[in-house]
Amino acid sequence: DWIYSLNDIYIQRGLIEADLSLFLISDCSGKRSELFDTYQTICNLMLLRESVSRLSVKKIRVIGGTPSFLRALKSICPGLCIVNEVNHDFNLYSVKRYLSDLRFIIEVVSIVFLENLLPSRDKRKDSRPRRYFFTIYPKMMGSNGRDKKYGSYFEEEDRYVGSLITDGLHQHVSVGEYFRLKRQAIIDNVQIIDEFIRFGDCCRCLYWWTRIRWVLYLERAQEHYFKEIDVTGYINKELLESTSRIGRFMVIKGALTRFITSNLISEFVYYLHEYPIGRMISYVLGINFPNVRRIGFQHGPASWRKLLYFMAKNEGSANVSFKNKAPLPDFVLAEDMASLEIYRYAGYADVEIMESVHRLNYLDGIQPRRELNCALIAPGLHDGKAMLDVLEPVIRQNRSTTFLLRPHPLANRAYLKGRLGADNIQLAEGDLPSLLEKVGKVYVTYSSIGAEAKAIGIDAEVVNIPGRINESPLLDFKLNVNEKMCG
C-alpha cells in the first residue's frame, strides 16, 4: 500500500504516457528486492529498534554505513550518538547507469539507421489469427529451437515473437551482434519486434529520461517515512534508478505496438508479467488491442516473501485506464496450487494451474545417484559472494566432500577471485541435469534449483544470509527431515 501511494507523485506531476502512469511500470512500483535493499533494510532497522529499546545504549558505532542508512538509523534512535567509522569513496554506480543509458540510445539509433538502409522484408499477415509467444531471444531459447520456459505449451501452429534489444538490461547485444542474431532468428522462425523501432521512439525515450529526472530533482527534498523510519535516501534511489528502465520501455512500446498492428493475433502469451517489462506488455495490449487475449505465464517459483508478486488492494487491473491501476494480464497460468494462492491473494482475478510445469521438463529422465561426498552450491543472481561467506566454514569442515560451485549464468563472477583455493571446491562442469544426476545435496539461497532438486528426491539445504530476507519457496512449507537450514 505504501509503495503504491508513491504513484501520486507521478500523477500530480503529469508523468503519464497515453493513459499510463509511468510509475506503474517502474522497478520501484514492482518492489524489486533483488535490485534494491530497501525492504530488508527496513526489516533490519525494525529489529534494531527493538534491541535498542531493551538496552541502555548511549552510542552506536556504524562500520561503513551509507548516508541513506545513517539517516534512517538516526530516525529510529533520536538523541543517541551515532558515529560512522568508515568514510565512503565516491559512488560510481550512478555515473555508470547514465553511461549505460547513453550507450543504449546510441546503439538503438544506430540499429534503426542501418535497418532503414536495408530492403524491407515482406511482412504479410497470416491468413488467420494465431497465438503468439513472447521470448527474450536468444537468451531464453533452447537448443531445440523452443523457449525453455514454455516448453511443449508452444504448439506447432503457434508463433514466437522476440526482442534482441529488450531494455538493454535483461540482455545486451551490440550493433554487430544484433544483425547476426537477427539472421539466426529468421532461421529459428522467431519474429523480431526490434525491426519496428522508429527514430520517434528514441526521441520519446530521451524525453522521458529528461523529464522524469528533472521532476525527481525538484522533489528531492520531499521526505519519505515508513513506520516512522526515514527511508528518504532509499526511495529517492529507487525512483531515480527506475527512470532508466522507464525510458527504455518507450522504445519497446512503440515497436510492440507496430508489430501487433502488422499481425493477426488471437492470444499473446508472455512471462515476466509481474515485472515492469510484463506490465508494459499488458498495457500495450490492453490499451490498443482489447480483442487480443493476454495470458501471463509464471516463469519461476513464487514465494510469500517475494514482494514482486504482491500489490496493494485494488492496485492491479486488466482493464483501462492505467493511471491508477497497474496493468495485468487477462488470465494467468500458475505452476502449482501454492503459486495460485499467492496470485489470487495479490489481486490477480483469473488464475489457473498449468497442466505441466514446462520449465521442469528437463528433470524427466534424471536418475539421481545421490553421491554423498559430492554437493552442489547454486547461488542466486545477486548473492554469490555472501552465500560463499556463509558456507565457508561448512566447506572447510567437510574436507571429504567435493563442493561443485555453479554460479548463476547471468551473474558477475568477480566474487570468485580467490575463492576457489580450497582442495574440495571447484567450478561445476557440465550441464545442470548431469550435475543433479550426480550430487547428493544442493545448497541454495533462493535459486529455483533447490525446489527442482527436492522434486527428484535430492536433499536441499537452504542457506540463510544474515540480514537478508530469504525468498526461497522452500521456506513457505513445513520443513521435512531432509530439509535443513544453515546460516
Side-chain angles (χ1 to χ4, degrees):
D1 290 341
W2 189 83
I3 289 292
Y4 180 44
S5 70
L6 298 176
N7 185 47
D8 292 342
I9 298 174
Y10 277 61
I11 297 295
Q12 293 167 6
R13 291 290 187 171
L15 302 180
I16 299 169
E17 165 75 14
D19 214 29
L20 169 72
S21 169
L22 295 179
F23 174 77
L24 298 174
I25 58 169
S26 71
D27 289 323
C28 181
S29 173
K31 298 167 288 292
R32 303 289 300 277
S33 56
E34 78 277 20
L35 299 179
F36 307 121
D37 57 1
T38 310
Y39 173 43
Q40 65 190 21
T41 299
I42 288 173
C43 293
N44 281 301
L45 286 167
M46 293 174 69
L47 182 62
L48 184 60
R49 180 165 56 188
E50 294 175 7
S51 301
V52 169
S53 66
R54 295 195 308 266
L55 304 171
S56 299
V57 176
K58 296 180 181 179
K59 181 179 180 179
I60 298 178
R61 297 172 59 203
V62 180
I63 312 300
T66 64
S68 297
F69 179 79
L70 291 171
R71 178 171 180 169
L73 181 61
K74 290 176 182 178
S75 70
I76 66 170
C77 301
L80 290 183
C81 178
I82 299 176
V83 179
N84 190 29
E85 297 287 340
V86 178
N87 293 324
H88 280 277
D89 294 327
F90 178 64
N91 187 355
L92 291 176
Y93 184 82
S94 296
V95 176
K96 290 179 180 178
R97 176 53 65 94
Y98 285 122
L99 292 176
S100 175
D101 287 345
L102 180 62
R103 180 186 67 180
F104 175 82
I105 199 66
I106 290 174
E107 289 179 341
V108 172
V109 168
S110 300
I111 287 170
V112 174
F113 175 77
L114 293 173
E115 284 277 15
N116 287 335
L117 297 180
L118 297 174
S120 59
R121 292 197 297 118
D122 186 10
K123 299 183 177 63
R124 289 179 297 178
K125 294 184 178 182
D126 283 322
S127 58
R128 61 180 179 83
R130 295 181 183 272
R131 185 170 64 166
Y132 276 72
F133 285 69
F134 177 77
T135 182
I136 297 178
Y137 185 87
K139 185 174 74 173
M140 298 308 302
M141 298 298 287
S143 57
N144 61 353
R146 293 200 170 195
D147 188 292
K148 292 175 283 189
K149 297 290 186 181
Y150 301 123
S152 58
Y153 186 61
F154 178 91
E155 299 177 350
E156 184 177 352
E157 295 297 315
D158 298 329
R159 297 287 184 267
Y160 282 121
V161 53
S163 175
L164 297 170
I165 295 173
T166 65
D167 55 13
L169 297 170
H170 282 88
Q171 72 178 11
H172 171 255
V173 298
S174 65
V175 176
E177 289 174 326
Y178 168 84
F179 287 98
R180 177 181 63 80
L181 291 171
K182 180 184 165 185
R183 290 192 295 271
Q184 183 61 44
I186 296 173
I187 298 174
D188 293 338
N189 201 26
V190 177
Q191 299 183 55
I192 299 298
I193 67 171
D194 307 334
E195 294 180 308
F196 293 83
I197 299 174
R198 301 293 181 263
F199 286 119
D201 301 323
C202 301
C203 294
R204 188 152 293 277
C205 170
L206 288 169
Y207 169 77
W208 282 117
W209 274 345
T210 305
R211 183 175 173 188
I212 296 176
R213 282 169 174 154
W214 175 246
V215 168
L216 294 178
Y217 175 78
L218 296 176
E219 295 279 345
R220 68 191 185 282
Q222 180 176 340
E223 295 182 332
H224 301 281
Y225 279 81
F226 179 79
K227 292 188 178 293
E228 300 179 343
I229 300 174
D230 187 345
V231 292
T232 302
Y234 290 96
I235 294 302
N236 284 344
K237 177 184 177 183
E238 289 201 26
L239 291 172
L240 183 61
E241 293 185 8
S242 294
T243 303
S244 179
R245 202 184 303 267
I246 292 172
R248 298 172 187 223
F249 281 160
M250 295 301 103
V251 172
I252 305 175
K253 169 181 170 290
L256 182 60
T257 301
R258 296 183 196 96
F259 171 82
I260 298 174
T261 302
S262 301
N263 290 273
L264 295 176
I265 301 176
S266 58
E267 296 181 336
F268 199 86
V269 186
Y270 50 109
Y271 42 58
L272 300 173
H273 65 90
E274 314 93 339
Y275 287 76
I277 190 170
R279 288 187 177 186
M280 188 274 301
I281 293 173
S282 296
Y283 158 73
V284 169
L285 289 165
I287 202 79
N288 297 309
F289 309 97
N291 293 327
V292 177
R293 191 180 188 217
R294 296 163 288 172
I295 301 178
F297 193 93
Q298 184 177 348
H299 73 288
S303 163
W304 285 97
R305 287 166 312 286
K306 194 165 186 177
L307 294 188
L308 172 80
Y309 284 88
F310 297 92
M311 295 178 291
K313 185 177 181 180
N314 299 320
E315 175 183 351
S317 174
N319 303 314
V320 294
S321 108
F322 298 118
K323 290 180 181 178
N324 289 292
K325 298 289 185 179
L328 302 183
D330 298 308
F331 174 70
V332 172
L333 283 171
E335 291 187 346
D336 47 44
M337 179 58 69
S339 299
L340 179 142
E341 291 175 352
I342 288 175
Y343 279 123
R344 287 183 175 172
Y345 179 88
Y348 292 83
D350 195 354
V351 188
E352 290 185 8
I353 298 176
M354 57 183 71
E355 294 181 1
S356 173
V357 183
H358 305 277
R359 67 180 180 84
L360 300 183
N361 288 344
Y362 82 95
L363 296 175
D364 296 340
I366 295 180
Q367 299 182 3
R369 300 196 300 271
R370 301 185 186 88
E371 298 179 10
L372 297 181
N373 62 344
C374 188
L376 177 66
I377 300 174
L381 178 58
H382 302 281
D383 63 4
K385 179 182 182 302
M387 184 180 184
L388 286 182
D389 288 342
V390 173
L391 283 178
E392 187 173 349
V394 178
I395 297 170
R396 189 170 56 247
Q397 293 164 14
N398 293 273
R399 293 293 184 182
S400 61
T401 300
T402 298
F403 292 88
L404 303 176
L405 175 62
R406 185 181 187 270
H408 191 283
L410 303 179
N412 185 331
R413 297 193 176 193
Y415 72 90
L416 296 179
K417 187 176 182 180
R419 302 304 295 264
L420 302 176
D423 295 335
N424 61 330
I425 182 171
Q426 61 191 49
L427 280 177
E429 296 182 358
D431 56 19
L432 185 55
S434 63
L435 292 171
L436 291 179
E437 195 167 66
K438 178 179 182 180
V439 300
K441 177 178 284 190
V442 174
Y443 292 88
V444 295
T445 48
Y446 61 84
S447 171
S448 63
I449 293 176
E452 292 158 23
K454 176 187 172 184
I456 56 176
I458 299 174
D459 187 5
E461 188 157 333
V462 180
V463 179
N464 282 322
I465 297 173
R468 295 194 183 185
I469 307 301
N470 194 313
E471 297 177 347
S472 172
L474 292 175
L475 301 182
D476 287 345
F477 312 101
K478 184 177 180 180
L479 303 180
N480 62 37
V481 294
N482 291 323
E483 295 171 52
K484 305 173 184 177
M485 297 177 62
C486 67

